Amino acid sequence: MESSNTNPSFDPPSHNAVIVRPLVSSTPHERENILRDVEYNVFAFPAGLVTCDFLSDSGTSAMTDLQWAALMRADESYGRNWGYYCLLDAFRDVFERGSNGAKHVFRDVLVGIADSDYYRGKLLQPCEGGFVNGGSRQLEHPNFFIVPQGRCAEFLLFSTFREMILETPKENLDLPPIAISNGFFDTTAANATASGFEIHNFVQTAPKRQPEGTNPFLGNLDVAAAEAFMDKHPGQVKLILITITNNWAAAQPVSMRNIKEAAELGKHKGVPVFFDACRFAENSWFIRNSEFGYADKQILDIIKEMFSYVDGFTISLKKDGLSNMGGVLCFRDNSLFAQQYTSIGHRLKQRQILCYGNDSYGGMSGRDLMTATAGLFEVTKETYLCNRISQVQSFAQKLSANNLPVVLPAGGHAIYLDMGEFFHGCNRQLGEFPAVGFTLELLKEYGIRAFEAGPFAWEWDQKSVEEREKIPNLVRFAVPRHVFSDAHIDYTVAAIKALYDRRHSLPNVKITRGQDMMLRHFSCGMKPVPVEKDITATNLSEAKAHLAQLSRATGQDEVSKSKLLHALLLVADEWSQAMGPQSQDQFHWQSLATNKYSPLEYSVVLDQATGEAELGLQFMSHPTGYSQSQIREWALHLNEAILIRHGAMVSLDVIELVRDILLQKEAGNTFTASHNCAVRKTGIKWEICLTPCASHKHEVLASSRTVFERLGMAYEWDLVERSMATTDSVAYISLDLVPTNANAQVEVFIAHEMASAKGIASMHEAICTNTCTFEIQRFCESIAGSLGPYTSKAPMSSFAFTSVSGDRSSSGTIYLPVDAYANNDNEIQERVERYMTAKVQSPIFAERYRKSVGAVQRRPLAQRCGLHSWVSLEQSVDGSLSNAFSFSAETPEGTNTSTDEEVLVP
């Protein structure tokens, strides 16, 4: 029967789990005590008390039944056990012969039919020219060396290589030999430097969050930069090492084209090229699925081509060998490396025997030799690789769906969190090692162990300024093969999300012992350092920090950021020099336009189609205790200061036309004022918002009419007044501080008491062209949680008219006071997220919104309302849509209101 599912969009499972290991339960308190006992070193924490262990994928795989069968057929003889021959021929099958040439001799050994004729005819046959010489050729010219694990292979290579360099005539011994790479991982770098090599990384693209899709091979070697470096250091570079996949750069793969280019560079410069091949199979999968020309090729054929370009490689069989132990160093017979250092094979063999035992086992048991042999064939199966890569990608996608800063696209063996983005807005310094604090808190609270692969592990504090810039700031979650289910992944995602929500409270870390040790992360002592929760800086300093963080979040350039910082200094007064608030209720700012916690708000406007951002600030001039005359004088003073600062770019002419109405000396009790500043492409824009000075609604309407008439906009005011409902009132009139011959904009704000979304939309339809009433109602329902009527704080609408507009058209904006219609900021963010998913076209929009929230956030969003003040929707004259988010400066975590921590059940 013909299948109807000819092109499935999902992949079938690759295996069944037939053995279960129960987990030991432990509490956060118990884990904290043990962390204290082991000096807060995650490597020293007992694995038996870990719920989800992502520390490493090295040797942590669950073996297949075929591997267990091979283990039972192991030969533990000291000299030339049959596992030795099986491993040698497996390497030929996997790395040299391709899909059509594999012989699978280990199968005959496994079933016990290998007799003397079999040994002489297959296992002892001489062969040469590849990575594994056979028969007598391996004795005469050894090029294959078994060791206990990958770092032993690295030690064997670099220590022996360094000796050979020192013994080579005409070598310049005054300068250290250099090894370059797309990314040295920790032990590789340590073994190279311990042997006297200077190392340099040249990764093509730094790890970062990118949209999912075809993998762009972010692990590539920057060949141009490497070649330029080699030109500046002629004869000094002795080795090019390509790590596949690039564990240093978030497990990103390396393309076949890049491997070819690196090989050509090595050939041109006379420098051997090696692989750190720990995850060779995963890299081949990415080549097949993402590189042009390889979609129809078999995995073994891709591997064969990959390895045809290099002189040799080290490999840990604990990764893409599915074994719990084992490693190999081998180099191609008659390669450039072999020709340059003709006796290095015997030197390597001597050191192998001296350090690890007879060359036929090299520190590996016969059982490990057999499981690694079987594992090499298992790991190159397409069904396995599909399941393996898919699990890691699913992990990354779940993190991304929760708006957590995971590096995308995901690599092959692990997901990586971008800790710079994770702590965005938290004012953390790299030398404080906050990412380590995150791993400690994750282990303490949830029993999940991960590895900081950033400033702490890469010894940021020991490096030069130039070297520091290359160090990624990541935390790695290495996924063991065949071990975890979706339940493990989901639990981990929930735990990371819970810590992200309270990231401001996560501790930094101080090294208490072993700071200068090589590979210090394995054995040094540390202790967590609680972060300061109270604000210890002035309000002005806090505001500067917020603006800097928001500028980065919105992609603002340095010139624009500088203009806003200067604007902030202009509005600074006695409030700005006071110390930051220590409780939520220290300030009581009375205004319809801001919440009560702070006189300063930040505005982020995002275009729905492009995600283009505009950053601004709003400063209110009326705290409790100020008289109306004081507020008026302050507003006039600031107007003059703005004029002096910006000269011809600013004018007070429009203000002067209506000063006697909006800035009366004897202002009524309702008088308020605020100044808004935003940086646009055309330059900086200032505006002042004022309440008409009147005591009753009819007087406010009369005053507003007079303002519009003096500005030549009587028609526009008639249109607004005719469209107002009986419960509507004028809240503010906003005037641009621009020359009168420019496009001076006048904006009137209408407060809608007890209004519904439908009523608000009707007013916009009556005043503004290109109004979409459906869009207004969808926005109101999504953000406020209902279509109304809105019985708490009144929503507002603004209608902006331009003085030189010929068609009298207006843009309209709806403002929703979201803090009055939600329980907390987390609820508000979820509403915004849902609205963005349904309506917003630009992915940059969502990213900039989230980063803006993080830039100002100081406590868990679920704790209370206070960060979001207003969310607005603007429909421009041309029909384009944008949303603005008003954020209030936050108070410290833990003050005034709190909620219980979320409890996760593993």
Side-chain angles (χ1 to χ4, degrees):
M1 181 181 295
E2 184 177 354
S3 172
S4 61
N5 189 15
T6 57
N7 186 26
S9 59
F10 53 88
D11 300 301
S14 64
H15 64 277
N16 292 325
V18 294
I19 296 178
V20 174
R21 173 176 290 172
L23 297 172
V24 176
S25 177
S26 60
T27 67
H29 178 70
E30 292 169 342
R31 290 190 292 264
E32 184 174 19
N33 287 336
I34 293 175
L35 276 169
R36 190 180 301 111
D37 293 340
V38 299
E39 297 183 273
Y40 295 95
N41 190 307
V42 297
F43 283 87
F45 192 90
L49 300 177
V50 177
T51 302
C52 299
D53 200 342
F54 296 94
L55 187 64
S56 176
D57 65 321
S58 180
T60 60
S61 301
M63 295 193 299
T64 68
D65 56 352
L66 181 61
Q67 287 180 284
W68 280 104
L71 180 147
M72 297 304 295
R73 280 285 297 149
D75 174 11
E76 299 297 343
S77 300
Y78 187 83
R80 293 299 187 268
N81 64 79
W82 60 57
Y84 167 77
Y85 295 109
C86 289
L87 186 65
L88 264 62
D89 210 66
F91 265 69
R92 298 185 190 110
D93 277 354
V94 171
F95 298 106
E96 297 178 8
R97 290 171 178 161
S99 60
N100 294 324
K103 297 181 178 180
H104 301 103
V105 299
F106 94 100
R107 293 176 179 173
D108 294 333
V109 174
L110 192 62
V111 297
I113 63 172
D115 56 13
S116 60
D117 290 337
Y118 190 91
Y119 271 87
R120 294 203 66 198
K122 295 194 176 187
L123 301 182
L124 295 174
Q125 282 293 308
C127 63
E128 57 185 331
F131 293 116
V132 189
N133 287 340
S136 60
R137 182 68 180 176
Q138 185 63 231
L139 297 172
E140 297 164 359
H141 298 280
N143 68 340
F144 184 87
F145 310 94
I146 301 170
V147 290
Q149 58 181 1
R151 70 190 60 182
C152 302
E154 296 163 357
F155 166 74
L156 198 61
L157 171 64
F158 285 110
S159 62
T160 310
F161 192 10
R162 176 64 168 142
E163 285 183 1
M164 299 298 293
I165 292 172
L166 291 173
E167 296 172 9
T168 302
K170 299 182 181 179
E171 286 286 356
N172 184 356
L173 303 180
D174 295 331
L175 297 173
I178 295 175
I180 63 176
S181 177
N182 61 332
F184 288 97
F185 203 60
D186 54 358
T187 59
T188 321
N191 274 303
T193 54
S195 299
F197 283 83
E198 186 178 303
I199 62 172
H200 293 272
N201 287 323
F202 296 97
V203 66
Q204 185 167 290
T205 307
K208 58 184 177 181
R209 189 174 185 179
Q210 295 198 5
E212 285 281 28
T214 301
N215 195 294
F217 295 102
L218 300 181
N220 281 352
L221 174 75
D222 189 335
V223 175
E227 183 173 14
F229 179 86
M230 295 170 79
D231 290 340
K232 292 180 181 178
H233 301 81
Q236 199 175 349
V237 175
K238 300 300 181 184
L239 183 71
I240 299 173
L241 183 73
I242 304 173
T243 305
I244 54 173
T245 56
N246 194 338
N247 198 17
W248 187 83
Q252 296 298 304
V254 181
S255 70
M256 189 75 80
R257 177 179 178 180
N258 188 250
I259 293 170
K260 292 180 187 178
E261 292 173 348
E264 291 169 359
L265 174 63
K267 183 178 181 180
H268 174 67
K269 297 291 186 180
V271 176
V273 179
F274 269 61
F275 277 149
D276 174 349
C278 291
R279 300 170 182 88
F280 71 94
E282 292 170 3
N283 200 86
S284 68
W285 177 261
F286 284 111
I287 289 175
R288 177 179 174 177
N289 283 273
S290 297
E291 189 163 1
F292 178 77
Y294 291 90
D296 297 326
K297 290 200 173 186
Q298 299 294 315
I299 291 296
L300 284 175
D301 294 328
I302 294 173
I303 293 170
K304 178 182 178 181
E305 182 180 349
M306 285 167 54
F307 282 79
S308 70
Y309 298 117
V310 297
D311 294 79
F313 61 94
T314 64
I315 185 172
S316 169
L317 296 171
K318 298 166 68 175
K319 283 93 169 175
D320 274 1
L322 289 181
S323 182
N324 301 129
M325 189 58 67
V328 166
L329 163 65
C330 56
F331 61 87
R332 189 180 299 279
D333 196 26
N334 298 323
S335 65
L336 175 63
F337 180 75
Q339 293 170 13
Q340 288 180 339
Y341 307 98
T342 54
S343 62
I344 195 168
H346 285 289
R347 188 73 63 88
L348 288 166
K349 185 173 182 177
Q350 291 170 11
R351 181 156 288 167
Q352 175 200 26
I353 295 172
L354 178 65
C355 295
Y356 307 117
N358 190 7
D359 61 336
S360 59
Y361 68 90
M364 291 179 68
S365 68
R367 293 182 292 275
D368 291 322
L369 289 170
M370 290 299 287
T371 59
T373 298
L376 286 170
F377 293 105
E378 295 285 272
V379 82
T380 50
K381 291 179 179 177
E382 294 181 13
T383 52
Y384 158 79
L385 284 170
C386 181
N387 180 267
R388 165 67 173 165
I389 304 298
S390 295
Q391 185 182 42
V392 175
Q393 290 178 338
S394 174
F395 190 0
Q397 288 162 4
K398 289 177 179 180
L399 290 167
S400 181
N402 281 273
N403 301 321
L404 295 166
V406 60
V407 174
L408 295 175
H413 74 282
I415 66 92
Y416 291 73
L417 292 180
D418 183 336
M419 300 310 290
E421 293 299 325
F422 188 95
F423 285 110
H424 173 68
C426 296
N427 196 29
R428 303 297 183 97
Q429 305 302 315
L430 293 177
E432 296 173 333
F433 308 127
V436 181
F438 162 79
T439 63
L440 293 177
E441 200 74 3
L442 190 66
L443 183 54
K444 181 194 77 174
E445 292 294 330
Y446 305 107
I448 300 170
R449 180 159 57 175
F451 171 60
E452 190 266 9
F456 170 66
W458 308 139
E459 301 171 358
W460 179 90
D461 48 310
Q462 312 289 333
K463 297 295 193 291
S464 67
V465 174
E466 181 181 2
E467 291 173 319
R468 288 178 176 183
E469 292 178 353
K470 296 181 180 181
I471 293 175
N473 186 12
L474 305 171
V475 166
R476 183 186 73 175
F477 291 75
V479 182
R481 298 160 181 84
H482 290 151
V483 174
F484 288 158
S485 67
D486 283 347
H488 294 84
I489 301 300
D490 292 343
Y491 174 70
T492 302
V493 171
I496 296 171
K497 181 66 165 65
L499 291 187
Y500 180 77
D501 288 342
R502 61 179 185 90
R503 60 195 178 278
H504 295 78
S505 68
L506 300 183
N508 294 320
V509 164
K510 178 181 180 181
I511 302 174
T512 58
R513 178 184 54 78
Q515 181 169 354
D516 298 329
M517 288 192 303
M518 184 176 290
L519 297 174
R520 65 189 184 188
H521 49 283
F522 286 104
S523 54
C524 77
M526 293 171 284
K527 70 174 182 179
V529 179
V531 296
E532 181 64 56
K533 293 184 180 181
D534 292 335
I535 299 176
T536 58
T538 64
N539 288 320
L540 180 60
S541 296
E542 283 289 294
K544 285 181 177 179
H546 284 149
L547 274 182
Q549 292 157 3
L550 282 166
S551 179
R552 177 186 166 207
T554 55
Q556 193 178 55
D557 58 45
E558 288 298 318
V559 173
S560 298
K561 181 176 76 172
S562 177
K563 289 179 179 178
L564 270 184
L565 287 173
H566 282 297
L568 177 64
L569 294 176
L570 278 180
V571 301
D573 63 356
E574 294 87 352
W575 168 85
S576 66
Q577 301 307 317
M579 297 303 295
Q582 298 303 305
S583 67
Q584 191 179 37
D585 297 320
Q586 181 171 338
F587 298 105
H588 300 276
W589 303 93
Q590 298 172 339
S591 167
L592 290 174
T594 65
N595 67 24
K596 65 182 180 181
Y597 310 135
S598 170
L600 181 65
E601 285 189 350
Y602 311 100
S603 172
V604 175
V605 182
L606 297 171
D607 185 280
Q608 287 192 4
T610 65
E612 186 175 340
E614 176 186 292
L615 178 60
L617 58 85
Q618 179 182 42
F619 195 84
M620 309 304 297
S621 55
H622 36 81
T624 300
Y626 271 36
S627 67
Q628 300 299 298
S629 61
Q630 285 176 311
I631 295 173
R632 175 184 176 278
E633 292 304 316
W634 191 93
L636 291 171
H637 167 75
L638 184 53
N639 286 346
E640 294 296 334
I642 293 170
L643 180 62
I644 294 171
R645 168 70 185 173
H646 296 286
M649 295 176 60
V650 170
S651 172
L652 302 182
D653 291 349
V654 174
I655 293 289
E656 291 302 318
L657 288 173
V658 294
R659 175 171 175 168
D660 60 317
I661 303 172
L662 298 179
L663 286 165
Q664 296 178 17
K665 289 187 177 181
E666 298 300 328
N669 294 330
T670 61
F671 176 77
T672 57
S674 69
H675 283 78
N676 303 329
C677 177
V679 178
R680 298 179 173 176
K681 290 181 179 180
T682 54
I684 195 165
K685 178 189 176 183
W686 280 93
E687 61 185 28
I688 184 171
C689 289
L690 300 163
T691 54
C693 300
S695 301
H696 302 287
K697 180 179 179 179
H698 68 275
E699 294 176 349
V700 172
L701 292 175
S703 297
S704 301
R705 170 178 289 278
T706 303
V707 168
F708 271 73
E709 288 174 346
R710 289 190 186 180
L711 298 176
M713 297 184 181
Y715 170 84
E716 285 79 359
W717 174 252
D718 284 338
L719 186 60
V720 171
E721 189 171 0
R722 287 198 310 269
S723 305
M724 291 174 63
T726 57
T727 55
D728 291 344
S729 60
V730 177
Y732 294 96
I733 293 177
S734 171
L735 303 173
D736 285 358
L737 303 185
V738 296
T740 53
N741 60 348
N743 290 334
Q745 187 171 268
V746 180
E747 195 169 6
V748 58
F749 289 77
I750 306 298
H752 303 289
E753 296 287 348
M754 302 297 294
S756 66
K758 183 178 181 180
I760 295 172
S762 296
M763 183 175 186
H764 280 259
E765 185 177 32
I767 297 175
C768 305
T769 57
N770 296 320
T771 291
C772 177
T773 57
F774 169 78
E775 187 56 46
I776 292 174
Q777 292 181 72
R778 172 163 64 176
F779 169 75
C780 291
E781 183 177 25
S782 299
I783 303 303
S786 76
L787 289 169
Y790 303 114
T791 58
S792 186
K793 190 173 181 179
M796 286 200 293
S797 292
S798 72
F799 303 98
F801 305 94
T802 303
S803 58
V804 297
S805 175
D807 58 5
R808 298 183 179 274
S809 56
S810 167
S811 64
T813 305
I814 303 94
Y815 296 84
L816 293 176
V818 286
D819 58 340
Y821 294 94
N823 295 313
N824 53 61
D825 281 298
N826 186 64
E827 183 179 340
I828 295 171
Q829 187 175 44
E830 289 176 350
R831 291 178 185 175
V832 173
E833 296 280 355
R834 287 194 295 269
Y835 175 72
M836 290 190 298
T837 301
K839 180 65 182 72
V840 177
Q841 301 172 13
S842 171
I844 300 175
F845 183 108
E847 180 182 353
R848 286 178 170 171
Y849 163 70
R850 294 169 192 140
K851 287 185 176 181
S852 297
V853 172
V856 187
Q857 179 187 354
R858 296 184 64 88
R859 44 79 186 170
L861 295 179
Q863 196 175 73
R864 60 174 181 264
C865 286
L867 187 149
H868 294 83
S869 179
W870 295 79
V871 178
S872 68
L873 169 69
E874 179 182 1
Q875 295 186 324
S876 298
V877 175
D878 61 5
S880 61
L881 301 174
S882 61
N883 296 103
F885 304 92
S886 295
F887 299 114
S888 294
E890 280 279 77
T891 55
E893 180 189 3
T895 59
N896 195 33
T897 308
S898 63
T899 59
D900 293 333
E901 287 293 333
E902 179 181 2
V903 177
L904 299 178
V905 180

